[in-house]
Amino acid sequence: MIWNMSLLSKRSVVNMNFLSRSNVGRWRARAKFDPGLTELRAAGVTMTATLACFFSAWLVEDFAHLHTDVVVLAVALAVSLGRTQRGSDHRGRLLAAALLPAVAAGASEVGALMGAHAVTGDTLFAAAVAAAIWVRRFGPRYARAGTQATLPFIAVLIAPAPPASGISHALWTAAIAAIALGWVMLAQLLALRAGVLPPRGVAPPPAPTASAPTARSAPTARLRRLRVASWPASTRMALQMAAGLGAAFAIAHGLWPDHWSWTVLTAYIVASGNRGRGDVIHKSGLRVVGAACGTVIATLLSTAFPAGDRWAVVAIFAVLALASWLRSLSYAYWAGCVTAALAFLYGYFGESGTSLLRTRLEGILCGAAIAIIASWLILPVKTQDVLRRRIADALAALTDYLTAARRRDLTQLIEQQARFDHAVAQLDQLAAPIAAQRRIIPHGNHDGHPADAITALRACRQAVHVLTGSLMAKPALLTEPDVSNDLATLHATVIAARRAMARTPAPSQNSDTKSRNLAARPDREPRPALPLTAIAELPRGLTRVTITVQRTTRQAPQPTARRRQTP
């Protein structure tokens, strides 16, 4: 036992106290959010491309006698593409090269309509953004394309003046988008070649295999027809976005006709990419807090720069660099820095002073409220349903990983590890709203909280990497009886957890009200509880397998070199 504990501490296989939630550990994690300075280097690459885009767009604007909106478009696209294009493959880059210039030209015309004919332009804007969300139902590549298609439309909201209309301006806008994409691709490719950015990881397989039972019982055809919530999440979020943007345009034009873009921009940012209505509330809180702080600080500081001062441009790029770096730490930092950059931008064009502070804060609060109401009232997507689906995907990937290990298929072992990493990364996106819910709303389940499942699967990811490294270094360990038995036991544990998620529990004696509601609404099935106890055992099971592998490696006879006999 002592040897096992010492081995565990030396190798750092898995922290057995993975469920501890001390404030000291949380603040240490925040202090070391970028230990390898990967995010800082990525921010440097993004800002290098952004500066190149800025000077290129400035030259194009001077040559073609365009408006400053093309420069704002170039900077906004470069900052956004620096994040969305990071880790893209060749197909993703080709798709962006074919899509982005055309969408930028169309967004320019829509922006011109928004200035001349508000109702028509606003309707086209809301429809285009909603369509970009709706296409996510066709797969990850379409989701990435939809995300890139919305970038020029958001740049239209950021620009201090509506773009000009006409074919000539639309073509120049398309050229600016192509220039921005080219600089970002060039900077990222050179950074990859130089080792500044880490290489792109192995892409996970597109679809899970059928080596284990599904994690959710299939409803009958009758219930599927009755269930409105069976619509794809992308369709529901597209309808929420369309309604939210429509309401934001109407309210903002009525209350703040000269500064309506703050409300619309906030409504879009809070509702875009949401992972359930709980995530919308969490993101709206971060957006309001970050934007309020950024607006107050930038509005007060912008008075030090007169209109047209070049130091205001320097401040904008400095704040954008900080935003690109701190985005991975918290969305609040990103929201605050971007809002501060916009305040400096408007101050550069003469819109500064404390008189606009109240208007900006009111617009931000109104946009956040609109996004929350739309996400809760219009075909809501429950955060718990998204969490269950992603936990099920992670357990399915872990099942296939263990199946590949038991079959001694090293190629599949690497692929399924990448798939499990991707599934846990998807779970990480829900960690912040789930943790916030845990702090605000008490949980009555004594077996644990759903946040514990995310923490446990994170610990499993660490153990899987250690186990894969040991098995790849010595594949013969898979034939050892102790290793095979531990793998079989862990495989059965994962299967049991997945079956527990699939089962629908019978109603208890004290749930008469829920039973009557279920009888009145047969399209709503009771959700089985998350098998938190079984999921919490998975990191310990992986730790046992890793200890067995390392003990077997240590006990294996090592070849001894022949000693030279000295006379």
Side-chain angles (χ1 to χ4, degrees):
M1 181 66 181
I2 297 176
W3 181 86
N4 286 345
M5 293 304 295
S6 63
L7 178 62
L8 185 61
S9 61
K10 291 179 181 179
R11 300 281 184 173
S12 298
V13 179
V14 174
N15 184 7
M16 296 300 294
N17 296 324
F18 64 92
L19 293 178
S20 65
R21 298 178 295 273
S22 62
N23 292 330
V24 176
R26 186 181 297 113
W27 283 107
R28 284 180 179 177
R30 286 184 175 272
K32 299 180 179 179
F33 79 99
D34 192 14
L37 299 180
T38 303
E39 297 298 330
L40 181 60
R41 286 181 276 133
V45 173
T46 299
M47 293 313 299
T48 301
T50 303
L51 288 172
C53 292
F54 170 74
F55 288 111
S56 300
W58 180 46
L59 293 176
V60 171
E61 179 212 1
D62 185 66
F63 172 78
H65 305 288
L66 301 175
H67 196 266
T68 319
D69 64 296
V70 296
V71 181
V72 176
L73 172 67
V75 173
L77 287 179
V79 174
S80 302
L81 289 172
R83 186 171 184 85
T84 59
Q85 285 295 308
R86 183 178 167 188
S88 295
D89 54 6
H90 296 296
R91 291 184 178 180
R93 294 189 178 99
L94 290 176
L95 177 62
L99 178 67
L100 195 62
V103 175
S108 175
E109 291 299 312
V110 172
L113 278 175
M114 292 167 65
H117 306 283
V119 176
T120 303
D122 296 347
T123 303
L124 291 176
F125 183 95
V129 174
I133 297 175
W134 179 77
V135 298
R136 296 176 185 173
R137 61 182 298 172
F138 299 111
R141 197 170 299 279
Y142 287 90
R144 184 182 292 270
T147 301
Q148 294 172 355
T150 58
L151 300 181
F153 287 93
I154 303 307
V156 169
L157 294 179
I158 296 174
S165 61
I167 298 177
S168 176
H169 189 275
L171 293 178
W172 280 115
T173 303
I176 290 295
I179 291 173
L181 181 62
W183 277 118
V184 171
M185 287 184 179
L186 179 62
Q188 291 182 347
L189 290 176
L190 292 177
L192 288 172
R193 288 287 184 90
V196 177
L197 293 179
R200 188 174 63 91
V202 180
T209 58
S211 60
T214 58
R216 181 178 178 182
S217 58
T220 61
R222 175 174 172 269
L223 292 181
R224 189 181 294 111
R225 288 193 299 268
L226 293 175
R227 184 180 297 170
V228 177
S230 63
W231 289 10
S234 58
T235 302
R236 287 181 278 170
M237 287 189 291
L239 293 175
Q240 293 171 7
M241 179 63 74
L245 289 179
F249 275 119
I251 295 175
H253 278 299
L255 296 179
W256 309 285
D258 296 329
H259 305 284
W260 54 267
S261 60
W262 290 88
T263 304
V264 179
L265 183 63
T266 301
Y268 167 78
I269 291 176
V270 171
S272 65
N274 75 79
R275 304 167 188 94
R277 56 189 184 183
D279 181 64
V280 172
I281 293 180
H282 181 258
K283 189 185 294 184
S284 64
L286 296 179
R287 165 69 176 165
V288 170
V289 173
C293 295
T295 300
V296 171
I297 295 174
T299 301
L300 296 177
L301 292 179
S302 62
T303 57
F305 304 114
D309 192 352
R310 295 183 178 180
W311 286 105
V313 179
V314 175
I316 291 173
F317 282 103
V319 172
L320 288 178
L322 188 63
S324 300
W325 181 38
L326 297 180
R327 173 68 182 265
S328 60
L329 178 59
S330 175
Y331 181 79
Y333 296 108
W334 168 263
C337 292
V338 170
T339 306
L342 292 177
F344 280 122
L345 175 65
Y346 294 145
Y348 178 84
F349 289 100
E351 296 184 11
S352 61
T354 56
S355 59
L356 291 176
L357 178 60
R358 180 179 177 180
T359 301
R360 290 172 179 170
L361 293 179
E362 290 176 350
I364 291 172
L365 288 173
C366 181
I370 290 172
I372 292 175
I373 293 173
S375 66
W376 276 74
L377 298 182
I378 302 175
L379 300 176
V381 179
K382 296 182 179 179
T383 306
Q384 293 296 328
D385 293 343
V386 180
L387 177 65
R388 293 181 59 84
R389 180 68 267 166
R390 296 193 178 185
I391 289 177
D393 293 340
L395 293 178
L398 183 59
T399 303
D400 293 339
Y401 172 83
L402 296 173
T403 301
R406 296 182 65 190
R407 292 177 179 175
R408 305 166 192 171
D409 190 343
L410 298 182
T411 303
Q412 280 293 317
L413 191 72
I414 297 297
E415 293 182 358
Q416 297 305 327
Q417 175 189 320
R419 181 177 155 221
F420 180 67
D421 288 344
H422 177 73
V424 177
Q426 295 295 309
L427 264 178
D428 286 340
Q429 298 175 353
L430 293 172
I434 295 296
Q437 180 192 34
R438 181 180 201 164
R439 290 191 293 267
I440 297 174
I441 303 175
H443 193 68
N445 189 359
H446 299 288
D447 295 333
H449 190 271
D452 297 335
I454 300 178
T455 307
L457 290 171
R458 282 175 173 174
C460 289
R461 177 173 55 186
Q462 301 173 7
V464 162
H465 279 260
V466 176
L467 181 60
T468 302
S470 301
L471 296 178
M472 294 299 295
K474 193 173 182 181
L477 293 172
L478 292 171
T479 61
E480 295 291 334
D482 293 341
V483 177
S484 300
N485 292 335
D486 287 347
L487 286 174
T489 302
L490 182 59
H491 187 270
T493 303
V494 180
I495 293 294
R498 297 179 65 190
R499 287 175 175 169
M501 289 188 66
R503 286 195 296 268
T504 302
S508 60
Q509 296 179 356
N510 297 327
S511 58
D512 296 335
T513 303
K514 293 183 178 180
S515 300
R516 287 193 297 268
N517 293 337
L518 183 61
R521 292 292 304 275
D523 57 317
R524 292 186 179 181
E525 296 178 349
R527 299 289 186 184
L530 287 173
L532 298 176
T533 304
I535 295 176
E537 289 295 327
L538 296 181
R540 299 185 179 94
L542 280 167
T543 301
R544 286 192 292 269
V545 175
T546 306
I547 291 176
T548 302
V549 167
Q550 294 179 349
R551 183 176 65 244
T552 305
T553 304
R554 187 175 181 128
Q555 294 176 353
Q558 301 292 335
T560 58
R562 297 180 61 183
R563 297 181 179 178
R564 295 180 58 184
Q565 297 181 356
T566 58

